Every structure is written in C-alpha cells, then in structure tokens.
Amino acid sequence: MIEFILRRTGAAVVTLFLASIAVFLGVRALPGDPATVLAGESPTPQAIAAIRKQFGLDQPLPLQYLHYMGQALQGNLGLSTQDKAPVTQVLGERLPVTLELTFLAIVVGVLVGVLAGILSAVRRGTAVDYAANGFGLFGLSVPHFWLGLLGIVVFSVHWHVLPASGFVGLADDPVGNLERMVMPVLVLGLGLSAVVMRQTRSSLLSQLNAEYVRTARSKGLSRAQQIRHALRNSLTTVTTVVGLQLAGLISGAVITEQIFVIPGFGKLIVDGVSSRNYPVIQGAVLVTVAGYVVINLLVDITYAYLDPRLRMAGGSQ
C-alpha cells in the first residue's frame, strides 16, 4: 500500500508540474496586453514599459515562469494587477464561497444519484426504473446555463420564493445564505446526480448478478441482505466516478457563479480574463488544478484501500 501511495503521489507531482506550465503559457496566450490595460485610456510608451518592468512582463517567458514558480513554492502568487492586493489574499476571500457551493453540490448529487440508482436497479423494468433513467438522461442533457435561467424565471420571477442572485456569507446570515445557494446547488448538482445514478444502477445490477450474490441467495439470505452486500462493492466504483466528475463540477461552477452572481473562483477567473489580470488568473487556475489533482489522488488511494486488486496491479506494474 505504501508503494502504491508513493507511486500515485509522484505521478500527482509530475501532473502538477506539467499543469503549471500549461496554465502559465495559456495565460500568456490570451489576446491583449495587460500593461496597456493598466496604463489607462491614453497610455504612453514609457508608462507601458514601466508597468511591464514592474510586473516582470519584459523578461523572457522561461525566466518569468521560473520566477513565478519560485515565488509560488514559497506561498507568494504575486500581486493583483487591478488593486495591487496579494493574490493569496484575493483567493482566500473567494475560495470558501466556491468550496461551499461545490461541497453542497456533491452532497446533493451523491445522495440523489445513489438513491435513484438503487431504486432503479432494485425496481428494474418498472415505472420507477423508467423515471430514474429519464431523470438521468435529463440531467446529462440539460446545460447548466439553461437550467439556471429556467430556475430564476420560475422560482424568482413568477413564484417569488427564492432570490434570483447574490450571495450572503454563511456566518453573517445562515438562512439568507442557504436561500441564495438552493438554486445554484441544484443546478450544479443535477449533472453529478445523473452520472452517479447511472453508475450506481449499472454497478449494482452487475453485482446482483455476480456469483457470490447468487450463492448468498441460494443459502437463504433475504433480498435486503443481498442488496446490502452488493451495494458495498458497487460504491467503490461510484467513489471513483465522483472524483473524476470534480472537473465537471469546477467548470460548471464557473458558469453557475456567473449566472447567480456568486463571488467565487469562477467569477474571479472570468473577471480576471476580462481585465487581463495575469497573476489572479494563474493563481486561481493553479489552485483549482492542484485541488483537482489532490482530490483524485485521495480517491485513488481510497479506491485501492477498498479494492486490494488495484494496488496489486499497480505494484506489478
């Protein structure tokens, strides 16, 4: 198990290194010059040159990257070109908002998806199965922005039961926070619940037809006991799927935060792209990628712990 963890950790470090290069070059490939944007409406060549020197933009790309990563490894992601605030401070103010949204979406998505998947598998071929499959198809087909706009029109404009947009801190007003998070969480969690439902249904049906379940059935175990044993093995696959779906949640959070005007990472990245705020874009994307890699590493380790065959296969490689 230790060898497996070390192997996966090494792969995660290499992935982060390659991702940092991709993020750095991707930000530099954006159209427009941030120095020109910061210099105002009538920039002079001297002002533009001074800004480029101040933020190190006059140096070759390899030197810029080495300087950036050297500072990043010490916890310094630079200064925002808009308000000169430390990027770590800006990210620290926005990160809790996105974490709350993503966490609630995962909870809702997993609970709804697993429950629907179990009902669909247990009641296979019935109206419940067809309804669950229809729900899964709807969740996979509907884009976030359309569902978000539909929710605003129905629940805010016509029924006046939920706020259309905005955000209130959980510590400042718990009720107001939850009221404003209901629609974003449901919009973001719907796609995940559809994937989890289909995976749970498929995996549970496969386990229920496995030899060990048939043996248990022949020995007189009840239907509920058979489902409980099969479900435990099914959830190992579901755990992996949830980890892999985090990338989809993060990209979905960017759109969802824009629709509901939530001041999280997604809105920060979009605003940063509009203003050519290189340090903020790099920091936000790099932290997002790092979080995604770490979570997938934890999922891999958890999956290997639950299924010894995986770490044996990893060791043989």
Side-chain angles (χ1 to χ4, degrees):
M1 187 67 186
I2 294 177
E3 181 185 351
F4 179 87
I5 294 175
L6 292 176
R7 188 190 301 275
R8 287 293 187 271
T9 303
V13 172
V14 173
T15 302
L16 277 177
F17 171 69
L18 297 177
S20 69
I21 296 177
V23 170
F24 182 84
L25 295 178
V27 171
R28 262 58 182 181
L30 290 174
D33 184 359
T36 304
V37 176
L38 291 174
E41 296 182 355
S42 302
T44 63
Q46 293 79 10
I48 294 176
I51 293 174
R52 293 181 65 82
K53 183 176 182 180
Q54 178 185 357
F55 290 98
L57 300 174
D58 57 339
Q59 298 178 358
L61 285 180
L63 288 181
Q64 289 186 41
Y65 173 77
L66 291 176
H67 176 74
Y68 177 74
M69 287 308 299
Q71 294 295 315
L73 291 175
Q74 301 176 46
N76 180 13
L77 295 176
L79 297 176
S80 168
T81 56
Q82 291 302 109
D83 52 12
K84 307 297 186 293
V87 173
T88 51
Q89 176 185 328
V90 176
L91 299 182
E93 294 170 354
R94 301 296 188 96
L95 183 59
V97 179
T98 298
L99 286 180
E100 180 188 356
L101 175 61
T102 307
F103 173 75
L104 292 176
I106 290 175
V107 171
V108 171
V110 171
L111 288 178
V112 174
V114 170
L115 181 60
I118 294 173
L119 290 175
S120 178
V122 174
R123 302 293 182 87
R124 184 181 185 184
T126 66
V128 174
D129 185 23
Y130 295 137
N133 277 292
F135 166 76
L137 184 61
F138 178 78
L140 292 174
S141 307
V142 177
H144 288 115
F145 72 89
W146 185 85
L147 193 63
L149 295 176
L150 179 65
I152 291 174
V153 170
V154 174
F155 295 105
S156 301
V157 176
H158 289 292
W159 292 353
H160 304 286
V161 293
L162 290 173
S165 61
F167 179 80
V168 178
L170 183 62
D172 299 329
D173 183 2
V175 176
N177 174 271
L178 293 178
E179 284 180 347
R180 286 167 175 77
M181 293 297 277
V182 168
M183 279 199 289
V185 166
L186 292 179
V187 169
L188 193 57
L190 178 65
L192 176 64
S193 66
V195 174
V196 172
M197 188 284 295
R198 294 172 69 91
Q199 187 61 47
T200 302
R201 179 183 185 277
S202 173
S203 183
L204 185 56
L205 284 175
S206 174
Q207 293 296 327
L208 287 174
N209 291 322
E211 186 175 347
Y212 73 93
V213 174
R214 291 200 300 270
T215 302
R217 189 182 304 130
S218 66
K219 290 184 177 180
L221 261 68
S222 66
R223 180 66 170 167
Q225 289 174 316
Q226 297 171 32
I227 294 173
R228 188 168 64 249
H229 286 300
L231 183 61
R232 180 178 179 181
N233 293 331
S234 303
L235 291 181
T236 56
T237 307
V238 175
T239 301
T240 304
V241 171
V242 172
L244 295 176
Q245 287 298 314
L246 279 177
L249 280 181
I250 293 171
S251 60
V254 174
I255 301 172
T256 305
E257 289 177 1
Q258 282 295 114
I259 295 174
F260 294 100
V261 196
I262 298 175
F265 255 39
K267 195 170 188 312
L268 181 66
I269 293 173
V270 173
D271 293 343
V273 171
S274 302
S275 60
R276 307 294 186 272
N277 198 337
Y278 282 0
V280 166
I281 302 172
Q282 286 177 171
V285 175
L286 200 59
V287 170
T288 302
V289 171
Y292 177 69
V293 171
V294 170
I295 290 173
N296 273 276
L297 173 63
L298 295 177
V299 170
D300 277 351
I301 295 173
T302 304
Y303 192 37
Y305 175 76
L306 295 174
D307 188 352
R309 294 172 299 178
L310 182 63
R311 55 177 186 265
M312 290 175 64
S316 65
Q317 293 172 2

